[in-house]
Amino acid sequence: MKLDSLENLFVHELKDLLSAEKQLVKALPKMAKGASSEALRAGFEEHLEQTKGHVERLEKIFALLGKTARAETCKAMEGLIEEGSDLLKEEGAPSVKDAALIGAAQRVEHYEIAAYGTVRTLAQLLGQDEAAELLQETLDEEKETDEKLTELAMSEVNPEAESEAERRS
Ligand code: FE
Ligand code: FE
């Protein structure tokens, strides 16, 4: 890949995101399985369905550009997912593990929010209005997911982890 034009950069970023989203389609069911809180599990399952839609939107954008939808390994997402799966292997109190899972999931969402913000702006600059709209839709869903995770942490998971710790002390 040559970074000699914004168009090439745009396509490169899209390939990276396609890889990131495909990795997440595989990782989210494991995160759902690893969650003890019913609400957190449901949240991961819901975001899995959204994530499949994110892959489809990216594929649609490649079609709009007349390019093949080929993923280029997103190493950042590999690292984020690896940290999450390491957490799942740890022993511990279920609610504390849930709190850790939320932290891992929010790292993922923040990464996606940054990446989609960048590609959306590139799409706008390049006059790719339809692509920009599709990217904005995904960006909004990632932001919503991040907010839902914060709510879940504050309303349920962290209070539960705290009272679990009190019971043990
Ligand atoms: Fe996504
Ligand atoms: Fe996401």
Side-chain angles (χ1 to χ4, degrees), residues 21 24 47 50-51 54 109 112 116 138 142:
E21 296 286 17
L24 282 169
H47 197 53
Q50 280 184 327
T51 301
H54 300 172
E109 294 314 312
E112 290 184 298
Y116 276 103
T138 297
E142 309 293 19

Side-chain angles (χ1 to χ4, degrees), residues 16 28 40 45 50 57 76 89 96 103 115 121-122 124 128 133-134 137 140-141 147-148 155 157-158 161-162:
D16 183 276
L28 278 164
L40 182 58
E45 279 166 2
Q50 280 184 327
R57 283 195 192 114
K89 288 180 213 141
V96 178
T121 301
L122 283 173
Q124 286 169 340
Q128 296 286 350
E133 267 173 46
L134 290 164
E137 282 172 35
D140 291 341
E141 287 177 4
E147 279 160 24
K148 279 188 198 159
S155 66
V157 174
N158 289 355
E162 211 164 46

Side-chain angles (χ1 to χ4, degrees), residues 25-41:
V25 168
K26 285 190 195 152
L28 278 164
K30 294 174 197 162
M31 293 176 79
K33 229 178 129 189
S36 302
S37 147
E38 188 64 27
L40 182 58
R41 197 179 50 73

